[in-house]
Amino acid sequence: MKEAIDQIFKELGELKATTEKEAEEARIRFLGKKGEVTALMEQFRTVAPELKREYGQKLNELKKAANAKIEELKSAVEQAAVQYGPKEDLSMPGDSMPLGSRHPVSIVRQQIVDIFRKFGYDVAEGPEIEDDYHVFEALNFPPNHPAREMQDTFFVSSGHLNPLLLRTHTSSVQVRTMEKQPLPIRVVCPGRVFRNEAISARAHCIFHQVEGLYIDKDVTFADLKQAILLFAREMFGPETEIRMRPSYFPFTEPSAEVDVSCNICHGKGCNICKGTGWLEIMGCGMVDPNVLKASGIDPAQYSGFAFGMGVERIAMLKWQVNDLRHYFENDMRFLQEFATATEV
Ligand code: PHE
């Protein structure tokens, strides 16, 4: 045992390490569970009782010396790292990270919002989980209106007077705006909406809308028409024409659906516009007096218009994508097509 102790003393004296890893290996070699010093400590049990005192002392010294040496090596390595910098090759090229780009739906939503911002509209947002009051009741939906039925609406809770649900349109944000903002109001409400519909090339249960609301004194249908025409020309090009067809929404009267002249065939008829020369882009109308009243606005003094469009629909028309589902599948090949499409 004496020789073994001396031998280890000698080896400790010669021990060197230039990296943290080597210092750690040295620690394991001498002081680890199966290390040389540890092994000697275990052997100590078998030492004859009369020698125990002498060897006990020696072994303790050895252990102390080993600990001190390893500490010394570790701090020397650390110091060197501070002094000379890390050992990595800093000139090595980095890992390339794939660069993401904005989603086409986000690009178009932003374009729509930017156009209305130029016209002086603010942006308003509201909750996706809404109550029946803000999605339906305040918007003049009669109690048994078909749109309230389960087939259209995802209910979060039911059974009481004002159930929670996933908003089916962002008109709810317009109601919230009318409730809290002073008049006049000019806002667009972009956001995600939910409808319990079968998923197909033309419909999805989740999609995005931008709706707009303008309330002031003496707002007329002519103002609505002008706003929509300017928007359509900004979005689809300066030659674009619009036409309005009578329609019905509980919250507007009169109501209309808006078509833009087909930007592919310019009215001649093609398979995108199904030969008609027109593409439907949104619903709109003059805010129903009942809606103004419900939010505490006097319809005798104020009037307004509202409109709402589907962002995916506008994107499909703009980029001639014939299947809405592409926008939700996150296929990189599809998304990359839009990596540089930021201009209107
Ligand atoms: N809220 C209607 C929809 O989701 C769109 C719309 C908004 C129509 C405003 C008219 C006026 O379909």
Side-chain angles (χ1 to χ4, degrees), residues 277-290:
W278 295 97
L279 300 161
E280 189 199 317
I281 59 160
M282 68 169 94
C284 66
M286 301 306 290
V287 181
D288 193 291
N290 285 343

Side-chain angles (χ1 to χ4, degrees), residues 163-312:
L164 289 179
L165 41 86
L166 300 183
R167 65 182 180 195
T168 56
H169 51 189
T170 58
S171 305
S172 51
V173 184
Q174 306 181 359
V175 175
R176 288 188 178 275
T177 307
M178 287 189 282
E179 283 171 353
K180 62 173 195 277
Q181 253 185 42
L183 295 160
I185 288 172
R186 201 152 33 165
V187 287
V188 277
C189 315
R192 201 155 55 146
V193 299
F194 308 85
R195 289 184 196 177
N196 191 1
E197 299 212 31
I199 296 169
S200 72
R202 296 176 61 88
H204 207 287
C205 56
I206 301 176
F207 59 100
H208 300 80
Q209 281 189 327
V210 177
E211 295 214 354
L213 176 70
Y214 180 23
I215 301 177
D216 202 346
K217 290 189 168 141
D218 304 321
V219 177
T220 67
F221 200 89
D223 298 321
L224 167 62
K225 242 171 123 175
Q226 189 63 16
I228 305 290
L229 178 65
L230 288 176
F231 164 74
R233 292 192 169 164
E234 289 276 331
M235 193 69 190
F236 295 105
E239 310 290 298
T240 309
E241 294 297 336
I242 62 166
R243 74 173 183 187
M244 288 180 160
R245 288 175 288 108
S247 184
Y248 172 78
F249 300 102
F251 35 90
T252 47
E253 181 60 34
S255 305
E257 251 151 66
V258 181
D259 297 339
V260 290
S261 53
C262 179
N263 58 341
I264 318 289
C265 65
H266 303 287
K268 284 191 208 78
C270 65
N271 61 355
I272 301 284
C273 61
K274 305 221 172 58
T276 62
W278 295 97
L279 300 161
E280 189 199 317
I281 59 160
M282 68 169 94
C284 66
M286 301 306 290
V287 181
D288 193 291
N290 285 343
V291 173
L292 295 175
K293 262 190 254 163
S295 294
I297 297 170
D298 179 2
Q301 285 199 50
Y302 287 92
S303 57
F305 63 71
F307 55 86
M309 68 193 102
V311 178
E312 285 82 358

Side-chain angles (χ1 to χ4, degrees), residues 46-253:
T46 62
V47 166
E50 65 275 18
L51 295 176
K52 271 211 153 90
R53 198 184 147 86
E54 184 192 344
Y55 281 152
Q57 262 177 7
K58 272 202 174 305
L59 274 175
N60 269 336
E61 275 164 28
L62 179 67
K63 197 173 172 189
K64 263 197 209 147
N67 270 321
K69 182 73 186 184
I70 302 290
E71 279 311 307
E72 185 193 311
L73 289 181
K74 286 200 168 172
S75 69
V77 167
E78 245 171 58
Q79 287 255 319
V82 173
Q83 209 169 342
Y84 304 114
K87 287 247 175 262
E88 289 88 26
D89 176 359
L90 296 180
S91 65
M92 234 161 71
D95 291 338
S96 76
M97 301 258 273
L99 193 61
S101 57
R102 292 179 68 203
H103 192 279
V105 170
S106 304
I107 295 172
V108 171
R109 184 195 51 205
Q110 196 56 46
Q111 287 175 351
I112 299 170
V113 168
D114 285 347
I115 291 171
F116 282 103
R117 273 206 140 117
K118 275 201 276 191
F119 299 166
Y121 285 69
D122 289 329
V123 176
E125 284 181 343
E128 290 180 348
I129 299 176
E130 257 296 3
D131 55 18
D132 182 279
Y133 177 80
H134 287 92
V135 173
F136 296 129
E137 187 157 342
L139 287 161
N140 198 35
F141 279 79
N144 294 316
H145 193 280
R148 285 174 172 233
E149 292 203 345
M150 292 296 283
Q151 69 193 44
D152 288 320
T153 308
F154 289 115
F155 284 91
V156 175
S157 68
S158 59
H160 54 84
L161 283 173
N162 189 20
L164 289 179
L165 41 86
L166 300 183
R167 65 182 180 195
T168 56
H169 51 189
T170 58
S171 305
S172 51
V173 184
Q174 306 181 359
V175 175
R176 288 188 178 275
T177 307
M178 287 189 282
E179 283 171 353
K180 62 173 195 277
Q181 253 185 42
L183 295 160
I185 288 172
R186 201 152 33 165
V187 287
V188 277
C189 315
R192 201 155 55 146
V193 299
F194 308 85
R195 289 184 196 177
N196 191 1
E197 299 212 31
I199 296 169
S200 72
R202 296 176 61 88
H204 207 287
C205 56
I206 301 176
F207 59 100
H208 300 80
Q209 281 189 327
V210 177
E211 295 214 354
L213 176 70
Y214 180 23
I215 301 177
D216 202 346
K217 290 189 168 141
D218 304 321
V219 177
T220 67
F221 200 89
D223 298 321
L224 167 62
K225 242 171 123 175
Q226 189 63 16
I228 305 290
L229 178 65
L230 288 176
F231 164 74
R233 292 192 169 164
E234 289 276 331
M235 193 69 190
F236 295 105
E239 310 290 298
T240 309
E241 294 297 336
I242 62 166
R243 74 173 183 187
M244 288 180 160
R245 288 175 288 108
S247 184
Y248 172 78
F249 300 102
F251 35 90
T252 47
E253 181 60 34

